[in-house]
Amino acid sequence: MDIDEFQEDIGGITRYQILIIVFTGFLTFGSGFTPQAAIFLSAVPDFRCSVSPIDNSTLYPNLTEEDIESLTIPYDSKQGDYDSCNRYDYNLSSCQGDGNLSCVTSDEGPGTIPCDQGYYYDSTYYDETTVTQWDLVCDRQYLDSLANTLFFFGFFIGSAFIGPLSDWFGRRVALIVVCSGLVACSVGCAFAPTYEIYTFVRVLCGAFGITCFIAYFTYATEISPTKWRTETCAYVNMTTAICHTIFPWIAYGLRDWHYIQLTIALVPANFFITFFFIPESPRWLLRMGKTEEARKVLARYAKSKNKELTDEKWNSIVEFEEKKRALSEEKQEAAKRVRVWDLFRRPLMRLMSFNVMISWFTVSMVFNGLALNGGNLAGDPFVNTTLNAMAEIVAYVIVYFSTSFGRRPVFSASYILAGVVCIASMLFDLYANGNQGLFTASTAMAITGKCFASIGFALVYSVTSEIFPTNARATGLSLGSMSARVGAMISPFVLQLQTTIPWFTQTVFGTLSIISGFLVLLYPETSKTEYMTTLDEAEDFYWENIKALKWFGMKRSAKASSEATKEFKVNPVFTDISEESESTKF
């Protein structure tokens, strides 16, 4: 008897497990707020050159903002707006503040100079952001994009250490360590005195933010019975989407980046109380040989269902786990022989590997780019960001109920439709010419694109884990994850270019998505197939199940096929979380 059979014997998932999963979910809010915060921390309000004393309302009470701009700021006819980074070359020190504006008039017409007195920022939506505090605009705009890029680099760091930490010291220890790290770094970030320190600590926030999600996802799915893991995954992802929806209104109430960052620290801090009431994962305890501790946890599961863990059942579980551990060691030895370059030796495995890299790179760039761009869309940035986040909720509902159509068609459609609506958003915005209806349509298309990108991001994990065999699955997922991080790091700079080339960003997102969507058709359908075991089995499976090969008249060479079995079955002892639940969203 294994743990899953024991769970079925006592009646499935227990109230005790459900409470643990729900209350440990505080970590999801911390990890969900952290990447979402960039939208508001580095928000760029409308700005212009500071033209003191002209913009001093006490000295010139009758001047409106429009008056000040028309008098002191050059108009850029190409952009259709005032030049935010330059002013007319007037001698502003001669302005007397008595209503006499002769200091900003000239018969000959003034030249222009860069902002020499700093910048004036509109405070309609934000009291202070990192951009306004350190003037990350104009010739310093790249520093804002660099901070966001390095934040995603923090994902690299976090993804590297969470696995060993969780496997060596346990899921429970990993949870408290990463939670403590996120709280400490979030507080430190809020009080960063310089841009350099802010950027450094923000990288650590990214590292601990991603590890909070991974640690919680691993723990929640591992303590769930196998039959409930789909629901548990859906709960975790849905909780993340809900926190993304809530966060804009927290930012709306606070409006200052320091307070927003402190809030990110306070929410996961609740886990410091929850920590004392949650047990270690019994699967990890049994794997590490800590049988007595594991027995106490499983006994609590049984007690929650008014059942009892008898000696007979317990001995059966221990015996099964010992056999499983022995077989797992054999499997790990086989896995050690697979390296990244092994994924590129066979022709179709090579095709799958390159395709996986493209799929992950594209969906990560588009998803994160559209998320960060939520505050730049036409209209209220808080409303737009909320709608952008709600698109994720819709996406996860679609994914949950779309399995009957197969993974590949839904996966492909999500990319292609995301690309189409991104390009439509660009066209609406490009030809709006002040038409508010077209601006609104552009915003709606961008939000719809985020929905389709969310579907693609949810499916890319499942598809990747299913197309690679057991002894290369972790390597394949790592390959995809590395490509995703590169896409995420590039996205802030792609967004920056839309300030000078308005059509560029959405065109890049749309074109890459459409191309990737058609490349997805080169994947085999895997939704109803069992896990493959070896690279040779996988190669045979590709030749038999990739329909696109027939479209191009491609056939396998006449040389002897591999000895791999054609019926792909997975040993039941390998249905553990390490193979089925490597689908963390980040």
Side-chain angles (χ1 to χ4, degrees):
M1 172 183 287
D2 65 0
I3 293 179
D4 286 318
E5 290 174 338
F6 166 72
Q7 289 262 212
E8 290 183 21
D9 185 62
I10 64 174
I13 194 169
T14 67
R15 293 187 299 274
Y16 180 60
Q17 290 166 286
I18 294 173
L19 287 174
I20 292 171
I21 293 170
V22 170
F23 284 103
T24 312
F26 282 120
L27 289 175
T28 308
F29 281 81
S31 62
F33 286 170
T34 301
Q36 190 85 347
I39 301 170
F40 305 104
L41 299 186
S42 59
V44 184
D46 291 336
F47 68 96
R48 59 167 171 80
C49 292
S50 178
V51 287
S52 178
I54 298 295
D55 50 13
N56 187 323
S57 59
T58 302
L59 296 177
Y60 293 94
N62 296 323
L63 288 181
T64 64
E65 178 62 23
E66 290 76 12
D67 293 334
I68 295 172
E69 287 185 328
S70 64
L71 287 169
T72 63
I73 307 298
Y75 187 81
D76 187 341
S77 57
K78 292 182 179 180
Q79 296 292 334
D81 202 354
Y82 288 97
D83 186 346
S84 299
C85 298
N86 295 281
R87 72 171 181 86
Y88 288 129
D89 188 13
Y90 290 123
N91 181 12
L92 297 177
S93 61
S94 64
C95 296
Q96 301 300 317
D98 56 1
N100 182 3
L101 293 172
S102 59
C103 60
V104 290
T105 58
S106 171
D107 294 334
E108 298 179 358
T112 61
I113 60 172
C115 300
D116 58 338
Q117 297 184 8
Y119 302 89
Y120 171 87
Y121 297 97
D122 178 67
S123 58
T124 301
Y125 296 115
Y126 309 101
D127 293 337
E128 187 169 49
T129 70
T130 58
V131 170
T132 64
Q133 179 166 339
W134 292 304
D135 288 333
L136 305 181
V137 293
C138 298
D139 59 342
R140 288 169 57 85
Q141 182 182 9
Y142 76 95
L143 293 175
D144 181 39
S145 299
L146 178 62
N148 289 325
T149 291
L150 291 176
F151 168 78
F152 287 114
F153 177 71
F155 281 17
F156 267 119
I157 301 172
S159 300
F161 78 77
I162 184 57
L165 175 66
S166 184
D167 288 339
W168 295 345
F169 300 102
R171 314 318 192 199
R172 190 168 176 265
V173 171
L175 287 169
I176 192 64
V177 168
V178 298
C179 179
S180 301
L182 180 59
V183 171
C185 290
S186 296
V187 172
C189 188
F191 293 101
T194 65
Y195 164 81
E196 291 76 13
I197 293 176
Y198 162 79
T199 301
F200 174 75
V201 181
R202 182 82 173 131
V203 171
L204 297 181
C205 287
F208 284 110
I210 185 63
T211 52
C212 273
F213 181 86
I214 294 174
Y216 172 60
F217 187 96
T218 302
Y219 179 77
T221 51
E222 194 165 277
I223 69 171
S224 303
T226 300
K227 291 185 177 180
W228 283 84
R229 282 186 191 154
T230 299
E231 285 72 16
T232 301
C233 293
Y235 168 78
V236 175
N237 286 329
M238 192 63 73
T239 303
T240 303
I242 290 172
C243 92
H244 287 170
T245 306
I246 295 172
F247 191 67
W249 299 103
I250 296 175
Y252 174 81
L254 299 174
R255 294 177 180 256
D256 187 305
W257 79 269
H258 301 89
Y259 300 135
I260 293 172
Q261 188 63 51
L262 280 175
T263 301
I264 296 174
L266 292 175
V267 174
N270 290 280
F271 180 71
F272 293 144
I273 299 173
T274 307
F275 172 76
F276 294 100
F277 300 97
I278 68 169
E280 181 55 85
S281 162
R283 297 179 190 274
W284 182 84
L285 290 171
L286 285 169
R287 193 176 303 158
M288 301 302 291
K290 300 182 178 184
T291 55
E292 287 305 314
E293 294 178 48
R295 181 169 187 172
K296 291 179 182 178
V297 177
L298 292 178
R300 291 180 199 170
Y301 290 179
K303 186 177 180 180
S304 180
K305 286 281 191 177
N306 296 318
K307 298 291 179 65
E308 182 181 357
L309 176 60
T310 63
D311 291 339
E312 181 182 357
K313 292 179 181 178
W314 171 246
N315 291 333
S316 177
I317 292 173
V318 171
E319 181 181 355
F320 181 89
E321 287 297 325
E322 288 177 351
K323 292 179 180 179
K324 176 180 177 179
R325 188 160 54 248
L327 288 170
S328 181
E329 290 173 358
E330 294 178 8
K331 187 189 79 169
Q332 290 173 5
E333 282 299 316
K336 289 179 182 178
R337 294 192 293 270
V338 176
R339 298 292 184 266
V340 172
W341 52 84
D342 291 325
L343 302 182
F344 298 89
R345 295 184 185 278
R346 297 161 178 80
L348 293 189
M349 178 68 75
R350 181 164 55 247
L351 173 65
M352 293 299 102
S353 299
F354 279 123
N355 209 354
V356 162
M357 294 172 66
I358 294 171
S359 295
W360 283 74
F361 173 86
T362 300
V363 77
S364 181
M365 174 189 282
V366 175
F367 178 88
N368 289 291
L370 291 176
L372 291 174
N373 198 43
N376 298 325
L377 299 174
D380 189 304
F382 301 105
V383 173
N384 290 339
T385 307
T386 301
L387 294 174
N388 226 8
M390 291 177 66
E392 293 182 45
I393 298 177
V394 175
Y396 297 140
V397 172
I398 292 173
V399 170
Y400 186 79
F401 290 102
S402 66
T403 54
S404 59
F405 296 100
R407 298 202 198 283
R408 189 182 60 174
V410 177
F411 192 32
S412 176
S414 68
Y415 277 78
I416 294 173
L417 292 175
V420 169
V421 296
C422 281
I423 291 177
S425 174
M426 178 272 296
L427 292 174
F428 283 134
D429 188 59
L430 192 63
Y431 294 103
N433 291 325
N435 187 317
Q436 190 58 44
L438 290 180
F439 278 129
T440 302
S442 174
T443 299
M445 288 293 100
I447 293 171
T448 305
K450 172 72 178 306
C451 176
F452 289 125
S454 299
I455 295 173
F457 219 148
L459 288 173
V460 73
Y461 286 92
S462 300
V463 172
T464 302
S465 65
E466 290 169 348
I467 66 171
F468 286 110
T470 297
N471 65 345
R473 186 165 299 120
T475 304
L477 283 165
S478 296
L479 184 68
S481 182
M482 289 168 57
S483 303
R485 304 301 172 237
V486 174
M489 287 190 289
I490 292 175
S491 62
F493 287 102
V494 176
L495 287 175
Q496 180 182 328
L497 286 172
Q498 70 182 347
T499 59
T500 54
I501 311 175
W503 53 265
F504 182 80
T505 298
Q506 295 285 27
T507 301
V508 169
F509 290 166
T511 303
L512 285 177
S513 293
I514 292 173
I515 292 173
S516 298
F518 283 108
L519 289 177
V520 164
L521 297 175
L522 297 177
Y523 287 123
E525 178 57 63
T526 58
S527 61
K528 295 182 180 180
T529 60
E530 297 182 4
Y531 280 154
M532 296 165 279
T533 307
T534 67
L535 295 175
D536 286 334
E537 287 184 10
E539 189 73 8
D540 286 344
F541 178 79
Y542 301 151
W543 280 106
E544 293 177 359
N545 293 276
I546 297 179
K547 295 182 179 180
L549 298 178
K550 298 177 182 178
W551 302 343
F552 297 104
M554 296 176 63
K555 296 182 179 179
R556 198 168 193 180
S557 62
K559 80 179 198 178
S561 62
S562 67
E563 297 179 356
T565 178
K566 300 295 178 66
E567 296 180 2
F568 308 112
K569 295 182 178 180
V570 63
N571 192 306
V573 301
F574 296 149
T575 57
D576 196 35
I577 183 67
S578 60
E579 292 191 15
E580 290 190 356
S581 301
E582 298 176 68
S583 55
T584 52
K585 177 180 172 184
F586 294 99

